[in-house]
Amino acid sequence: MHTIAIGCDPNAARLKDELIAHLRRQGYPVTDMGSDDVIYPNTAARVARAVAAGEYDRGILLCGTGLGMSIAANKVRGAYAALISDCYSAERARRSNNANIACIGAFTVGSALAKKLADTFLTSEYTPGTPSEPKVAKIVELDEER
C-alpha cells in the first residue's frame, strides 16, 4: 500500500482532513504535512521534496484551485505534480505520465469527487513499455537539465 504525504493551504483544510480520514479508513499510511497560512508554496515544496526523495510513494496537494500547488510542486526536481479534476485525468496522470503528486482544488471539486480522484490516482499505476514510456523519459530528461 502506498505511503502518502498530504498538504494544503488554508482554503482546503477541511477537504484535507476529509481525505486523510477517507484514506486512513482504506489502510493507507498518510502523513499530514500541514498547511501554511499564507505561503502555500512552502507546503507544496515540503510534500514535493519528501515524495521526490522517496520518503513517500505519492503526494496529494490541495488549495482553492489546485493550480498554485501544482506549479509550486513542479519546481522541485523529481516531483511530477498533476492537476486533476476528473477520474479519467487522475488515471492518466499515473498511467500515461507517471505523476507522483495529485493536486486538487477544494473550490472546484466537491468532497465526494475529491475522494474518487484520490482513489483513482492511488490505484492507477504507470506501466513501462507502453507508448508513453519515451514521453515520460523525455519529461525526466528535461527535469534533470535544471
Side-chain angles (χ1 to χ4, degrees):
M1 184 145 290
H2 298 299
T3 56
I4 303 162
I6 189 168
C8 70
D9 75 356
N11 293 317
R14 189 172 80 216
L15 181 58
K16 179 190 70 167
D17 292 341
E18 290 179 32
L19 278 178
I20 289 172
H22 170 75
L23 296 171
R24 285 183 177 157
R25 279 193 298 274
Q26 294 182 63
Y28 285 103
V30 180
T31 299
D32 183 350
M33 307 223 28
S35 64
D36 282 311
D37 291 332
V38 179
I39 312 298
Y40 67 84
N42 291 331
T43 301
R46 194 165 38 252
V47 169
R49 286 181 183 129
V51 171
E55 296 169 24
Y56 297 90
D57 300 314
R58 304 276 188 279
I60 298 175
L61 289 167
L62 310 156
C63 65
T65 63
L67 291 166
M69 286 293 197
S70 64
I71 292 168
N74 279 315
K75 299 298 181 188
V76 174
R77 184 176 289 168
Y80 303 102
L83 176 64
I84 57 174
S85 58
D86 61 86
C87 288
Y88 182 74
S89 296
E91 178 188 11
R92 299 323 303 173
R94 286 289 311 132
R95 290 189 190 266
S96 296
N97 298 286
N98 202 20
N100 54 12
I101 300 171
C103 299
I104 302 171
F107 296 163
T108 59
V109 172
S111 175
L113 180 55
K115 291 172 187 172
K116 287 180 185 177
L117 295 175
D119 291 346
T120 302
F121 183 79
L122 294 171
T123 58
S124 299
E125 292 298 331
Y126 174 71
T127 305
T130 66
S132 295
E133 187 171 25
K135 300 166 196 167
V136 170
K138 184 61 178 183
I139 291 169
V140 172
E141 180 184 318
L142 291 168
D143 192 33
E144 292 171 353
E145 288 178 5
R146 293 196 273 174

